[in-house]
Structure formats: C-alpha cells, structure tokens
Amino acid sequence: MRFLLFIFVAILSLQAKGLDVKPVDNELYKKECATCHFGYQPGLMPTQSWEFIMKNLADHYGTDASIDDKTNKSILSYLLANASQNAMNYKKSAKITKSLENGVLYQSITEIPYHIKKHKKIEKWMITQKEVKTLSNCTACHKKADLGIYSKKTIDIPNYGAWRD
C-alpha cells in the first residue's frame, strides 16, 4: 500500500514539475471570470485575496461583476482550494506564498511582493505601451501564461522581444 501511495505522490509531483502554477481547470470560473479578463490561476494569490475579491464583485476594479450567491460560493470554493498556499507543489505558487507579509491583504496580483520583485527591472514604457497597458495583463508578455507557465523562456515583450536580465 505504501508503495502505491509513493507512486501516486511521485506522479503528482511530476505533473506539477515544470508548471509555475496550476492551470485553470474549472469551467464555471472560466465562464464567469475568464470571459471578461485573463483567467488568473488561483495559485497566483493567497486565500485572503480571493476572499476579498469575491466579496467585492460589485466593485471589481471599477466594474460591477456581481454574480448570484450560488455561483459566487462555487467559484470561491475553487479559488480557495487552489490558492497559492494550497498549491505549494507549483514553484511560483510556493514563491508567491513565501513572499507574503503576515497581516497584509493583497487586493491584486500586482501588489504581491514576489510579483513586484520579478517585474522591477522592466522599464515603464514596456508596461504602459498600448500592447501591454498594465502588469496585470499577463498574456501580453508571458506567452504561455494560460498554461500556467511564466518562465523567462516564454517572455516576449511587445516592441522589445525576449526578456533577458
């Protein structure tokens, strides 16, 4: 029995290896959230952030994104189960979680210390140009972000090219 458990854990580890965060795999989340904006993987933020976001959908970054209670609870359940601290076998989720300060409520991905650290060398024009606009537009530069891959090899900044630092 222990051997089978070992094999199961090894297979799960191999699946997670290579991915920075677990890809979005919830159809309701895709339908309700990812049709309006990039479907941010739950592993990019901690549980407290997802709770805050889902409680405040009436003012979702300047837009009313309200949904019914049943849908909200279902999506929140998915987000919490896969939030960064619950996805520590994915390398970016682990790094994000380790970068968090106790007692701080991060209201967006761009406030996460790990995210700030990884983007600090990017020149302002690269972010503000029309093809990117904001750091929350992950897919503008991370060409495999939708697959949960954010490695340097997949970065291609519009009007600049591959990122080398």
PDB file of all heavy atoms in Angstrom, residues 70-107:
ATOM      1  N   LYS A  70     -24.930  31.488  -5.286  1.00  0.00           N
ATOM      2  CA  LYS A  70     -24.546  30.083  -5.511  1.00  0.00           C
ATOM      3  C   LYS A  70     -23.299  30.009  -6.403  1.00  0.00           C
ATOM      4  O   LYS A  70     -22.363  29.260  -6.117  1.00  0.00           O
ATOM      5  CB  LYS A  70     -25.709  29.327  -6.164  1.00  0.00           C
ATOM      6  CG  LYS A  70     -25.417  27.868  -6.400  1.00  0.00           C
ATOM      7  CD  LYS A  70     -26.599  27.173  -7.057  1.00  0.00           C
ATOM      8  CE  LYS A  70     -26.235  25.745  -7.407  1.00  0.00           C
ATOM      9  NZ  LYS A  70     -27.296  25.095  -8.183  1.00  0.00           N
ATOM     10  N   THR A  71     -23.283  30.795  -7.457  1.00  0.00           N
ATOM     11  CA  THR A  71     -22.135  30.817  -8.364  1.00  0.00           C
ATOM     12  C   THR A  71     -20.910  31.365  -7.649  1.00  0.00           C
ATOM     13  O   THR A  71     -19.806  30.828  -7.778  1.00  0.00           O
ATOM     14  CB  THR A  71     -22.461  31.666  -9.616  1.00  0.00           C
ATOM     15  OG1 THR A  71     -23.616  31.112 -10.249  1.00  0.00           O
ATOM     16  CG2 THR A  71     -21.303  31.685 -10.594  1.00  0.00           C
ATOM     17  N   ASN A  72     -21.124  32.425  -6.853  1.00  0.00           N
ATOM     18  CA  ASN A  72     -20.024  33.026  -6.107  1.00  0.00           C
ATOM     19  C   ASN A  72     -19.407  31.999  -5.161  1.00  0.00           C
ATOM     20  O   ASN A  72     -18.183  31.840  -5.121  1.00  0.00           O
ATOM     21  CB  ASN A  72     -20.523  34.249  -5.330  1.00  0.00           C
ATOM     22  CG  ASN A  72     -19.384  35.042  -4.712  1.00  0.00           C
ATOM     23  OD1 ASN A  72     -18.531  34.479  -4.031  1.00  0.00           O
ATOM     24  ND2 ASN A  72     -19.385  36.346  -4.929  1.00  0.00           N
ATOM     25  N   LYS A  73     -20.221  31.291  -4.428  1.00  0.00           N
ATOM     26  CA  LYS A  73     -19.707  30.292  -3.481  1.00  0.00           C
ATOM     27  C   LYS A  73     -18.956  29.175  -4.192  1.00  0.00           C
ATOM     28  O   LYS A  73     -17.922  28.707  -3.714  1.00  0.00           O
ATOM     29  CB  LYS A  73     -20.851  29.714  -2.643  1.00  0.00           C
ATOM     30  CG  LYS A  73     -21.355  30.664  -1.595  1.00  0.00           C
ATOM     31  CD  LYS A  73     -22.502  30.059  -0.805  1.00  0.00           C
ATOM     32  CE  LYS A  73     -23.032  31.112   0.187  1.00  0.00           C
ATOM     33  NZ  LYS A  73     -24.227  30.664   0.872  1.00  0.00           N
ATOM     34  N   SER A  74     -19.460  28.755  -5.315  1.00  0.00           N
ATOM     35  CA  SER A  74     -18.809  27.680  -6.067  1.00  0.00           C
ATOM     36  C   SER A  74     -17.432  28.127  -6.586  1.00  0.00           C
ATOM     37  O   SER A  74     -16.439  27.399  -6.453  1.00  0.00           O
ATOM     38  CB  SER A  74     -19.700  27.250  -7.237  1.00  0.00           C
ATOM     39  OG  SER A  74     -19.068  26.224  -7.959  1.00  0.00           O
ATOM     40  N   ILE A  75     -17.382  29.309  -7.153  1.00  0.00           N
ATOM     41  CA  ILE A  75     -16.098  29.818  -7.667  1.00  0.00           C
ATOM     42  C   ILE A  75     -15.137  30.078  -6.521  1.00  0.00           C
ATOM     43  O   ILE A  75     -13.950  29.720  -6.595  1.00  0.00           O
ATOM     44  CB  ILE A  75     -16.321  31.091  -8.524  1.00  0.00           C
ATOM     45  CG1 ILE A  75     -17.035  30.723  -9.822  1.00  0.00           C
ATOM     46  CG2 ILE A  75     -14.983  31.781  -8.828  1.00  0.00           C
ATOM     47  CD1 ILE A  75     -17.466  31.910 -10.663  1.00  0.00           C
ATOM     48  N   LEU A  76     -15.629  30.670  -5.435  1.00  0.00           N
ATOM     49  CA  LEU A  76     -14.770  30.926  -4.276  1.00  0.00           C
ATOM     50  C   LEU A  76     -14.200  29.625  -3.723  1.00  0.00           C
ATOM     51  O   LEU A  76     -13.011  29.554  -3.388  1.00  0.00           O
ATOM     52  CB  LEU A  76     -15.533  31.676  -3.183  1.00  0.00           C
ATOM     53  CG  LEU A  76     -14.731  31.997  -1.922  1.00  0.00           C
ATOM     54  CD1 LEU A  76     -13.506  32.850  -2.245  1.00  0.00           C
ATOM     55  CD2 LEU A  76     -15.623  32.697  -0.895  1.00  0.00           C
ATOM     56  N   SER A  77     -15.002  28.613  -3.670  1.00  0.00           N
ATOM     57  CA  SER A  77     -14.527  27.315  -3.192  1.00  0.00           C
ATOM     58  C   SER A  77     -13.370  26.807  -4.056  1.00  0.00           C
ATOM     59  O   SER A  77     -12.353  26.316  -3.542  1.00  0.00           O
ATOM     60  CB  SER A  77     -15.682  26.317  -3.200  1.00  0.00           C
ATOM     61  OG  SER A  77     -15.229  25.050  -2.822  1.00  0.00           O
ATOM     62  N   TYR A  78     -13.514  26.935  -5.366  1.00  0.00           N
ATOM     63  CA  TYR A  78     -12.441  26.542  -6.290  1.00  0.00           C
ATOM     64  C   TYR A  78     -11.187  27.380  -6.065  1.00  0.00           C
ATOM     65  O   TYR A  78     -10.083  26.852  -5.976  1.00  0.00           O
ATOM     66  CB  TYR A  78     -12.927  26.682  -7.741  1.00  0.00           C
ATOM     67  CG  TYR A  78     -11.817  26.618  -8.760  1.00  0.00           C
ATOM     68  CD1 TYR A  78     -11.132  25.422  -8.999  1.00  0.00           C
ATOM     69  CD2 TYR A  78     -11.445  27.753  -9.471  1.00  0.00           C
ATOM     70  CE1 TYR A  78     -10.097  25.372  -9.918  1.00  0.00           C
ATOM     71  CE2 TYR A  78     -10.419  27.706 -10.391  1.00  0.00           C
ATOM     72  CZ  TYR A  78      -9.744  26.514 -10.614  1.00  0.00           C
ATOM     73  OH  TYR A  78      -8.712  26.476 -11.527  1.00  0.00           O
ATOM     74  N   LEU A  79     -11.365  28.700  -5.953  1.00  0.00           N
ATOM     75  CA  LEU A  79     -10.216  29.593  -5.774  1.00  0.00           C
ATOM     76  C   LEU A  79      -9.472  29.298  -4.470  1.00  0.00           C
ATOM     77  O   LEU A  79      -8.241  29.252  -4.441  1.00  0.00           O
ATOM     78  CB  LEU A  79     -10.665  31.055  -5.812  1.00  0.00           C
ATOM     79  CG  LEU A  79     -11.216  31.548  -7.158  1.00  0.00           C
ATOM     80  CD1 LEU A  79     -11.866  32.916  -7.010  1.00  0.00           C
ATOM     81  CD2 LEU A  79     -10.124  31.561  -8.214  1.00  0.00           C
ATOM     82  N   LEU A  80     -10.214  29.080  -3.399  1.00  0.00           N
ATOM     83  CA  LEU A  80      -9.579  28.823  -2.099  1.00  0.00           C
ATOM     84  C   LEU A  80      -8.852  27.479  -2.089  1.00  0.00           C
ATOM     85  O   LEU A  80      -7.755  27.369  -1.546  1.00  0.00           O
ATOM     86  CB  LEU A  80     -10.612  28.881  -0.977  1.00  0.00           C
ATOM     87  CG  LEU A  80     -11.300  30.229  -0.779  1.00  0.00           C
ATOM     88  CD1 LEU A  80     -12.272  30.161   0.398  1.00  0.00           C
ATOM     89  CD2 LEU A  80     -10.306  31.365  -0.614  1.00  0.00           C
ATOM     90  N   ALA A  81      -9.451  26.483  -2.698  1.00  0.00           N
ATOM     91  CA  ALA A  81      -8.817  25.155  -2.730  1.00  0.00           C
ATOM     92  C   ALA A  81      -7.504  25.165  -3.507  1.00  0.00           C
ATOM     93  O   ALA A  81      -6.612  24.350  -3.245  1.00  0.00           O
ATOM     94  CB  ALA A  81      -9.779  24.137  -3.335  1.00  0.00           C
ATOM     95  N   ASN A  82      -7.371  26.107  -4.432  1.00  0.00           N
ATOM     96  CA  ASN A  82      -6.183  26.151  -5.297  1.00  0.00           C
ATOM     97  C   ASN A  82      -5.346  27.420  -5.118  1.00  0.00           C
ATOM     98  O   ASN A  82      -4.468  27.710  -5.942  1.00  0.00           O
ATOM     99  CB  ASN A  82      -6.616  26.011  -6.761  1.00  0.00           C
ATOM    100  CG  ASN A  82      -7.232  24.658  -7.031  1.00  0.00           C
ATOM    101  OD1 ASN A  82      -6.524  23.668  -7.111  1.00  0.00           O
ATOM    102  ND2 ASN A  82      -8.558  24.601  -7.112  1.00  0.00           N
ATOM    103  N   ALA A  83      -5.630  28.185  -4.061  1.00  0.00           N
ATOM    104  CA  ALA A  83      -4.876  29.407  -3.780  1.00  0.00           C
ATOM    105  C   ALA A  83      -3.402  29.076  -3.549  1.00  0.00           C
ATOM    106  O   ALA A  83      -3.044  27.916  -3.323  1.00  0.00           O
ATOM    107  CB  ALA A  83      -5.466  30.119  -2.570  1.00  0.00           C
ATOM    108  N   SER A  84      -2.572  30.100  -3.589  1.00  0.00           N
ATOM    109  CA  SER A  84      -1.116  29.865  -3.562  1.00  0.00           C
ATOM    110  C   SER A  84      -0.657  28.983  -2.408  1.00  0.00           C
ATOM    111  O   SER A  84       0.128  28.057  -2.620  1.00  0.00           O
ATOM    112  CB  SER A  84      -0.363  31.200  -3.557  1.00  0.00           C
ATOM    113  OG  SER A  84      -0.593  31.917  -2.364  1.00  0.00           O
ATOM    114  N   GLN A  85      -1.151  29.244  -1.206  1.00  0.00           N
ATOM    115  CA  GLN A  85      -0.673  28.445  -0.072  1.00  0.00           C
ATOM    116  C   GLN A  85      -1.189  27.004  -0.095  1.00  0.00           C
ATOM    117  O   GLN A  85      -0.695  26.164   0.631  1.00  0.00           O
ATOM    118  CB  GLN A  85      -0.964  29.123   1.272  1.00  0.00           C
ATOM    119  CG  GLN A  85      -2.420  29.250   1.620  1.00  0.00           C
ATOM    120  CD  GLN A  85      -3.001  30.579   1.209  1.00  0.00           C
ATOM    121  OE1 GLN A  85      -2.911  30.965   0.051  1.00  0.00           O
ATOM    122  NE2 GLN A  85      -3.603  31.285   2.145  1.00  0.00           N
ATOM    123  N   ASN A  86      -2.161  26.730  -0.962  1.00  0.00           N
ATOM    124  CA  ASN A  86      -2.660  25.364  -1.111  1.00  0.00           C
ATOM    125  C   ASN A  86      -2.125  24.697  -2.377  1.00  0.00           C
ATOM    126  O   ASN A  86      -2.587  23.627  -2.748  1.00  0.00           O
ATOM    127  CB  ASN A  86      -4.187  25.376  -1.122  1.00  0.00           C
ATOM    128  CG  ASN A  86      -4.744  25.882   0.181  1.00  0.00           C
ATOM    129  OD1 ASN A  86      -4.170  25.641   1.240  1.00  0.00           O
ATOM    130  ND2 ASN A  86      -5.835  26.605   0.124  1.00  0.00           N
ATOM    131  N   ALA A  87      -1.184  25.346  -3.022  1.00  0.00           N
ATOM    132  CA  ALA A  87      -0.599  24.813  -4.264  1.00  0.00           C
ATOM    133  C   ALA A  87       0.923  24.891  -4.193  1.00  0.00           C
ATOM    134  O   ALA A  87       1.585  25.282  -5.153  1.00  0.00           O
ATOM    135  CB  ALA A  87      -1.140  25.587  -5.458  1.00  0.00           C
ATOM    136  N   MET A  88       1.469  24.548  -3.046  1.00  0.00           N
ATOM    137  CA  MET A  88       2.902  24.710  -2.814  1.00  0.00           C
ATOM    138  C   MET A  88       3.766  23.775  -3.666  1.00  0.00           C
ATOM    139  O   MET A  88       4.980  23.937  -3.709  1.00  0.00           O
ATOM    140  CB  MET A  88       3.214  24.529  -1.331  1.00  0.00           C
ATOM    141  CG  MET A  88       2.554  25.582  -0.448  1.00  0.00           C
ATOM    142  SD  MET A  88       3.178  27.250  -0.726  1.00  0.00           S
ATOM    143  CE  MET A  88       4.691  27.184   0.213  1.00  0.00           C
ATOM    144  N   ASN A  89       3.175  22.800  -4.339  1.00  0.00           N
ATOM    145  CA  ASN A  89       3.958  21.944  -5.226  1.00  0.00           C
ATOM    146  C   ASN A  89       4.204  22.601  -6.591  1.00  0.00           C
ATOM    147  O   ASN A  89       4.928  22.060  -7.413  1.00  0.00           O
ATOM    148  CB  ASN A  89       3.314  20.567  -5.391  1.00  0.00           C
ATOM    149  CG  ASN A  89       1.885  20.655  -5.858  1.00  0.00           C
ATOM    150  OD1 ASN A  89       1.216  21.641  -5.601  1.00  0.00           O
ATOM    151  ND2 ASN A  89       1.412  19.631  -6.515  1.00  0.00           N
ATOM    152  N   TYR A  90       3.636  23.775  -6.794  1.00  0.00           N
ATOM    153  CA  TYR A  90       3.901  24.565  -8.003  1.00  0.00           C
ATOM    154  C   TYR A  90       4.868  25.676  -7.612  1.00  0.00           C
ATOM    155  O   TYR A  90       4.607  26.428  -6.667  1.00  0.00           O
ATOM    156  CB  TYR A  90       2.604  25.145  -8.572  1.00  0.00           C
ATOM    157  CG  TYR A  90       1.702  24.071  -9.123  1.00  0.00           C
ATOM    158  CD1 TYR A  90       0.774  23.438  -8.317  1.00  0.00           C
ATOM    159  CD2 TYR A  90       1.818  23.678 -10.448  1.00  0.00           C
ATOM    160  CE1 TYR A  90      -0.046  22.433  -8.812  1.00  0.00           C
ATOM    161  CE2 TYR A  90       1.014  22.675 -10.959  1.00  0.00           C
ATOM    162  CZ  TYR A  90       0.085  22.057 -10.132  1.00  0.00           C
ATOM    163  OH  TYR A  90      -0.700  21.064 -10.640  1.00  0.00           O
ATOM    164  N   LYS A  91       5.966  25.790  -8.362  1.00  0.00           N
ATOM    165  CA  LYS A  91       7.068  26.648  -7.899  1.00  0.00           C
ATOM    166  C   LYS A  91       6.704  28.122  -7.729  1.00  0.00           C
ATOM    167  O   LYS A  91       7.120  28.750  -6.760  1.00  0.00           O
ATOM    168  CB  LYS A  91       8.301  26.477  -8.773  1.00  0.00           C
ATOM    169  CG  LYS A  91       8.115  26.738 -10.226  1.00  0.00           C
ATOM    170  CD  LYS A  91       9.377  26.354 -11.000  1.00  0.00           C
ATOM    171  CE  LYS A  91       9.115  26.431 -12.485  1.00  0.00           C
ATOM    172  NZ  LYS A  91      10.229  25.897 -13.254  1.00  0.00           N
ATOM    173  N   LYS A  92       5.964  28.705  -8.632  1.00  0.00           N
ATOM    174  CA  LYS A  92       5.601  30.124  -8.475  1.00  0.00           C
ATOM    175  C   LYS A  92       4.620  30.313  -7.319  1.00  0.00           C
ATOM    176  O   LYS A  92       4.719  31.300  -6.579  1.00  0.00           O
ATOM    177  CB  LYS A  92       4.996  30.697  -9.759  1.00  0.00           C
ATOM    178  CG  LYS A  92       5.940  30.733 -10.931  1.00  0.00           C
ATOM    179  CD  LYS A  92       6.981  31.820 -10.836  1.00  0.00           C
ATOM    180  CE  LYS A  92       7.759  31.875 -12.134  1.00  0.00           C
ATOM    181  NZ  LYS A  92       9.130  32.223 -12.007  1.00  0.00           N
ATOM    182  N   SER A  93       3.688  29.396  -7.155  1.00  0.00           N
ATOM    183  CA  SER A  93       2.758  29.494  -6.032  1.00  0.00           C
ATOM    184  C   SER A  93       3.517  29.451  -4.712  1.00  0.00           C
ATOM    185  O   SER A  93       3.206  30.214  -3.789  1.00  0.00           O
ATOM    186  CB  SER A  93       1.729  28.363  -6.088  1.00  0.00           C
ATOM    187  OG  SER A  93       0.905  28.507  -7.217  1.00  0.00           O
ATOM    188  N   ALA A  94       4.502  28.579  -4.629  1.00  0.00           N
ATOM    189  CA  ALA A  94       5.315  28.486  -3.403  1.00  0.00           C
ATOM    190  C   ALA A  94       6.083  29.786  -3.177  1.00  0.00           C
ATOM    191  O   ALA A  94       6.124  30.307  -2.053  1.00  0.00           O
ATOM    192  CB  ALA A  94       6.272  27.308  -3.503  1.00  0.00           C
ATOM    193  N   LYS A  95       6.679  30.333  -4.235  1.00  0.00           N
ATOM    194  CA  LYS A  95       7.441  31.584  -4.093  1.00  0.00           C
ATOM    195  C   LYS A  95       6.524  32.752  -3.744  1.00  0.00           C
ATOM    196  O   LYS A  95       6.898  33.621  -2.957  1.00  0.00           O
ATOM    197  CB  LYS A  95       8.225  31.864  -5.380  1.00  0.00           C
ATOM    198  CG  LYS A  95       9.379  30.902  -5.576  1.00  0.00           C
ATOM    199  CD  LYS A  95      10.119  31.163  -6.867  1.00  0.00           C
ATOM    200  CE  LYS A  95      11.284  30.190  -7.007  1.00  0.00           C
ATOM    201  NZ  LYS A  95      12.029  30.383  -8.253  1.00  0.00           N
ATOM    202  N   ILE A  96       5.366  32.776  -4.336  1.00  0.00           N
ATOM    203  CA  ILE A  96       4.390  33.828  -4.011  1.00  0.00           C
ATOM    204  C   ILE A  96       4.021  33.752  -2.540  1.00  0.00           C
ATOM    205  O   ILE A  96       4.048  34.750  -1.822  1.00  0.00           O
ATOM    206  CB  ILE A  96       3.143  33.701  -4.927  1.00  0.00           C
ATOM    207  CG1 ILE A  96       3.496  34.176  -6.332  1.00  0.00           C
ATOM    208  CG2 ILE A  96       1.955  34.467  -4.351  1.00  0.00           C
ATOM    209  CD1 ILE A  96       2.472  33.816  -7.393  1.00  0.00           C
ATOM    210  N   THR A  97       3.698  32.566  -2.077  1.00  0.00           N
ATOM    211  CA  THR A  97       3.303  32.390  -0.681  1.00  0.00           C
ATOM    212  C   THR A  97       4.420  32.792   0.266  1.00  0.00           C
ATOM    213  O   THR A  97       4.177  33.475   1.266  1.00  0.00           O
ATOM    214  CB  THR A  97       2.888  30.926  -0.434  1.00  0.00           C
ATOM    215  OG1 THR A  97       1.782  30.624  -1.297  1.00  0.00           O
ATOM    216  CG2 THR A  97       2.486  30.694   1.009  1.00  0.00           C
ATOM    217  N   LYS A  98       5.634  32.403  -0.044  1.00  0.00           N
ATOM    218  CA  LYS A  98       6.770  32.734   0.826  1.00  0.00           C
ATOM    219  C   LYS A  98       7.055  34.233   0.855  1.00  0.00           C
ATOM    220  O   LYS A  98       7.653  34.733   1.800  1.00  0.00           O
ATOM    221  CB  LYS A  98       8.009  31.962   0.376  1.00  0.00           C
ATOM    222  CG  LYS A  98       7.901  30.481   0.669  1.00  0.00           C
ATOM    223  CD  LYS A  98       9.078  29.706   0.114  1.00  0.00           C
ATOM    224  CE  LYS A  98       8.863  28.222   0.342  1.00  0.00           C
ATOM    225  NZ  LYS A  98       9.868  27.397  -0.335  1.00  0.00           N
ATOM    226  N   SER A  99       6.640  34.965  -0.177  1.00  0.00           N
ATOM    227  CA  SER A  99       6.911  36.402  -0.227  1.00  0.00           C
ATOM    228  C   SER A  99       5.894  37.240   0.555  1.00  0.00           C
ATOM    229  O   SER A  99       6.122  38.421   0.790  1.00  0.00           O
ATOM    230  CB  SER A  99       6.933  36.889  -1.682  1.00  0.00           C
ATOM    231  OG  SER A  99       5.626  37.032  -2.216  1.00  0.00           O
ATOM    232  N   LEU A 100       4.795  36.643   0.955  1.00  0.00           N
ATOM    233  CA  LEU A 100       3.711  37.393   1.595  1.00  0.00           C
ATOM    234  C   LEU A 100       4.071  37.819   3.008  1.00  0.00           C
ATOM    235  O   LEU A 100       4.702  37.063   3.745  1.00  0.00           O
ATOM    236  CB  LEU A 100       2.436  36.544   1.617  1.00  0.00           C
ATOM    237  CG  LEU A 100       1.946  36.064   0.254  1.00  0.00           C
ATOM    238  CD1 LEU A 100       0.775  35.109   0.432  1.00  0.00           C
ATOM    239  CD2 LEU A 100       1.570  37.232  -0.640  1.00  0.00           C
ATOM    240  N   GLU A 101       3.649  39.019   3.373  1.00  0.00           N
ATOM    241  CA  GLU A 101       3.842  39.506   4.732  1.00  0.00           C
ATOM    242  C   GLU A 101       2.587  39.195   5.544  1.00  0.00           C
ATOM    243  O   GLU A 101       1.472  39.357   5.042  1.00  0.00           O
ATOM    244  CB  GLU A 101       4.083  41.017   4.724  1.00  0.00           C
ATOM    245  CG  GLU A 101       5.382  41.414   4.063  1.00  0.00           C
ATOM    246  CD  GLU A 101       5.587  42.927   4.070  1.00  0.00           C
ATOM    247  OE1 GLU A 101       5.275  43.563   5.089  1.00  0.00           O
ATOM    248  OE2 GLU A 101       6.040  43.444   3.054  1.00  0.00           O
ATOM    249  N   ASN A 102       2.773  38.778   6.772  1.00  0.00           N
ATOM    250  CA  ASN A 102       1.638  38.479   7.647  1.00  0.00           C
ATOM    251  C   ASN A 102       0.782  39.718   7.865  1.00  0.00           C
ATOM    252  O   ASN A 102       1.300  40.811   8.057  1.00  0.00           O
ATOM    253  CB  ASN A 102       2.128  37.966   9.010  1.00  0.00           C
ATOM    254  CG  ASN A 102       2.639  36.549   8.921  1.00  0.00           C
ATOM    255  OD1 ASN A 102       2.226  35.784   8.057  1.00  0.00           O
ATOM    256  ND2 ASN A 102       3.543  36.195   9.809  1.00  0.00           N
ATOM    257  N   GLY A 103      -0.522  39.532   7.824  1.00  0.00           N
ATOM    258  CA  GLY A 103      -1.447  40.613   8.130  1.00  0.00           C
ATOM    259  C   GLY A 103      -1.716  41.574   6.985  1.00  0.00           C
ATOM    260  O   GLY A 103      -2.499  42.506   7.145  1.00  0.00           O
ATOM    261  N   VAL A 104      -1.110  41.373   5.836  1.00  0.00           N
ATOM    262  CA  VAL A 104      -1.321  42.262   4.691  1.00  0.00           C
ATOM    263  C   VAL A 104      -2.368  41.638   3.769  1.00  0.00           C
ATOM    264  O   VAL A 104      -2.277  40.460   3.434  1.00  0.00           O
ATOM    265  CB  VAL A 104      -0.008  42.506   3.905  1.00  0.00           C
ATOM    266  CG1 VAL A 104      -0.268  43.339   2.655  1.00  0.00           C
ATOM    267  CG2 VAL A 104       1.022  43.167   4.801  1.00  0.00           C
ATOM    268  N   LEU A 105      -3.360  42.445   3.380  1.00  0.00           N
ATOM    269  CA  LEU A 105      -4.357  41.983   2.422  1.00  0.00           C
ATOM    270  C   LEU A 105      -3.951  42.487   1.034  1.00  0.00           C
ATOM    271  O   LEU A 105      -3.983  43.689   0.772  1.00  0.00           O
ATOM    272  CB  LEU A 105      -5.751  42.518   2.768  1.00  0.00           C
ATOM    273  CG  LEU A 105      -6.841  42.205   1.735  1.00  0.00           C
ATOM    274  CD1 LEU A 105      -7.025  40.698   1.563  1.00  0.00           C
ATOM    275  CD2 LEU A 105      -8.147  42.880   2.132  1.00  0.00           C
ATOM    276  N   TYR A 106      -3.559  41.599   0.188  1.00  0.00           N
ATOM    277  CA  TYR A 106      -3.178  41.940  -1.184  1.00  0.00           C
ATOM    278  C   TYR A 106      -4.440  41.909  -2.038  1.00  0.00           C
ATOM    279  O   TYR A 106      -5.063  40.864  -2.182  1.00  0.00           O
ATOM    280  CB  TYR A 106      -2.124  40.955  -1.704  1.00  0.00           C
ATOM    281  CG  TYR A 106      -0.866  40.973  -0.855  1.00  0.00           C
ATOM    282  CD1 TYR A 106      -0.659  40.019   0.140  1.00  0.00           C
ATOM    283  CD2 TYR A 106       0.083  41.967  -1.017  1.00  0.00           C
ATOM    284  CE1 TYR A 106       0.473  40.045   0.940  1.00  0.00           C
ATOM    285  CE2 TYR A 106       1.221  42.010  -0.222  1.00  0.00           C
ATOM    286  CZ  TYR A 106       1.408  41.044   0.750  1.00  0.00           C
ATOM    287  OH  TYR A 106       2.530  41.086   1.536  1.00  0.00           O
ATOM    288  N   GLN A 107      -4.807  43.065  -2.584  1.00  0.00           N
ATOM    289  CA  GLN A 107      -6.062  43.173  -3.324  1.00  0.00           C
ATOM    290  C   GLN A 107      -5.918  42.901  -4.816  1.00  0.00           C
ATOM    291  O   GLN A 107      -6.909  42.851  -5.529  1.00  0.00           O
ATOM    292  CB  GLN A 107      -6.679  44.550  -3.091  1.00  0.00           C
ATOM    293  CG  GLN A 107      -7.028  44.749  -1.626  1.00  0.00           C
ATOM    294  CD  GLN A 107      -7.669  46.103  -1.371  1.00  0.00           C
ATOM    295  OE1 GLN A 107      -8.117  46.785  -2.288  1.00  0.00           O
ATOM    296  NE2 GLN A 107      -7.719  46.481  -0.110  1.00  0.00           N
TER     297      GLN A 107
END
